[in-house]
Amino acid sequence: MKFKIEKVANMIFITADQDIIFKAWDITEFTERKLQNAIKKINGHYNGKAEFIRTF
């Protein structure tokens, strides 16, 4: 499954193919560590077969 990591206004989202939001952060609370933890958790659910595309 493909996931897109994108920035919209003052929010950061991890969305799936059909624009389903899996995780969202306010830009003031966002850290790379939170992003890596969310990616690790999603990869665990999809047995490491998730693909992430970062757009910002």
Side-chain angles (χ1 to χ4, degrees), residues 5-50:
I5 303 166
E6 58 188 342
K7 180 180 175 188
V8 179
N10 65 338
M11 298 290 291
I12 307 251
F13 298 102
I14 297 179
T15 57
D17 294 334
Q18 297 82 22
D19 292 330
I20 299 169
I21 298 173
F22 278 81
K23 191 72 177 169
W25 298 276
D26 185 70
I27 195 74
T28 59
E29 298 174 358
F30 175 75
T31 63
E32 287 294 322
R33 183 175 181 179
K34 287 182 180 183
L35 176 62
Q36 294 305 317
N37 287 340
I39 288 173
K40 184 177 178 183
K41 187 172 186 177
I42 291 170
N43 259 331
H45 289 299
Y46 290 97
N47 296 324
K49 296 181 181 178

Side-chain angles (χ1 to χ4, degrees), residues 4-7 53-56:
K4 192 172 16 171
I5 303 166
E6 58 188 342
K7 180 180 175 188
I53 301 166
R54 189 169 179 162
T55 62
F56 71 96

